[in-house]
Amino acid sequence: MTDITIALSKGRIFDDTAPLLKAAGIEALEDPESSRKLILATNQPNVRLVIVRASDVPTYVQYGAADMGIAGKDVLIEHGGAELYQPLDLNIARCKMMVAVPDGFDYESAVQQGARLRVATKYLQTAREHFADKGVHVDLIKLYGSMELAPLVGLADAIVDLVSTGNTLKANHLRAVEEIMQISSRLIINQAALKLKQPIIQPILDAFTDAVQ
Ligand code: ATP
Ligand code: PRP
């Protein structure tokens, strides 16, 4: 029997994906939050889950180490999406990619005056494109998380980060000044796997499609 490997990240992606997997008749036999295992068996003997960092999901699927996976649009843009089939927006893990600055910083004037801004972000590709489109000169500073701290300690004038409730910005006295794009998570499939394992992958894709609608 052909085996299928699905790459997922812990936390919100796994939580939001579990109901979709269930709709496809797939249930993990262990909870990734409590298990230290990185390969999880499911109730379907030919379907297994691999638990990886959110930003590594596209890489596993690109190289065929996983046949399919679920990744945020933010992560897919940074990865580049090469060789990935992206058939379905799952409408989960919804948030917005935004530019934010400290409450007291006059971003609008700084941009109007053509100031060169220091922008801290994990999303270099997205930020580079956004500011290039606006004709704003920026020095990008790569961070791996907690971007909200950067302007508070003088590392940057602005950040590009994900915003959902706005609570993290508020707690750190920052305000959102521009929305770059809406973000949600997509199903991604390795193109060779789609051809070779279509009899197994297609029903999962169909079940996800029905569940999303
Ligand atoms: P990594 O572990 O690789 O550093 P991460 O910490 O961003 O990635 P998660 O926090 O699990 O990973 O986020 C997974 C995805 O969920 C992100 O790629 C994004 O698409 C989405 N996301 C991130 N933050 C939020 C949020 N506050 N609300 C809703 N969705 C979010
Ligand atoms: C994300 C993002 C923001 C926060 C925004 O971080 O990087 O910090 O969520 O959400 P809010 O608008 O609802 O406050 P996450 O929770 O994923 O933490 P981490 O990336 O630092 O693990």
Side-chain angles (χ1 to χ4, degrees):
M1 201 184 338
T2 316
D3 289 334
I4 285 285
T5 300
I6 304 175
L8 297 174
S9 53
K10 283 198 232 187
R12 55 174 66 88
I13 298 269
F14 188 87
D15 296 346
D16 290 358
T17 303
L20 298 174
L21 288 172
K22 203 168 179 190
I26 301 165
E27 285 181 65
L29 296 184
E30 278 177 85
D31 178 358
E33 300 301 339
S34 51
S35 171
R36 296 294 298 166
K37 283 188 191 164
L38 299 175
I39 300 179
L40 300 183
T42 73
N43 60 331
Q44 305 279 341
N46 62 332
V47 179
R48 64 179 186 168
L49 310 179
V50 291
I51 305 299
V52 303
R53 288 288 292 266
S55 38
D56 289 335
V57 169
T59 307
Y60 278 82
V61 177
Q62 174 190 359
Y63 288 100
D67 300 297
M68 53 205 290
I70 292 171
K73 188 176 174 188
D74 50 325
V75 164
L76 289 167
I77 290 172
E78 296 304 311
H79 170 269
E83 296 161 62
L84 298 175
Y85 177 51
Q86 300 182 29
L88 187 61
D89 183 347
L90 299 170
N91 242 324
I92 59 173
R94 290 174 60 82
C95 51
K96 291 175 182 176
M97 185 71 73
M98 303 200 85
V99 181
V101 298
D103 284 338
F105 182 74
D106 189 350
Y107 175 76
E108 293 76 6
S109 298
V111 166
Q112 253 175 15
Q113 288 161 13
R116 195 172 183 93
L117 296 176
R118 285 171 308 148
V119 178
T121 188
K122 184 170 153 184
Y123 308 101
L124 289 184
Q125 187 59 30
T126 306
R128 191 176 294 120
E129 241 176 72
H130 173 72
F131 291 109
D133 286 352
K134 281 176 60 82
V136 173
H137 296 288
V138 290
D139 290 320
L140 295 176
I141 300 168
K142 167 80 182 180
L143 291 178
Y144 293 87
S146 302
M147 271 76 81
E148 292 87 353
L149 177 65
L152 308 183
V153 294
L155 180 61
D157 303 306
I159 61 169
V160 167
D161 195 8
L162 298 172
V163 179
S164 171
T165 60
N167 288 342
T168 311
L169 290 185
K170 205 169 157 198
N172 293 291
H173 309 290
L174 303 173
R175 66 181 176 106
V177 286
E178 270 162 11
E179 176 178 326
I180 300 179
M181 68 180 79
Q182 303 261 356
I183 300 289
S184 56
S185 287
R186 280 116 213 277
L187 181 66
I188 56 174
I189 304 179
N190 176 279
Q191 292 188 355
L194 183 63
K195 288 191 196 116
L196 296 171
K197 302 184 179 183
Q198 219 234 356
I200 300 185
I201 291 180
Q202 192 63 48
I204 298 175
L205 175 54
D206 292 343
F208 276 26
T209 307
D210 288 347
V212 168
Q213 283 161 1

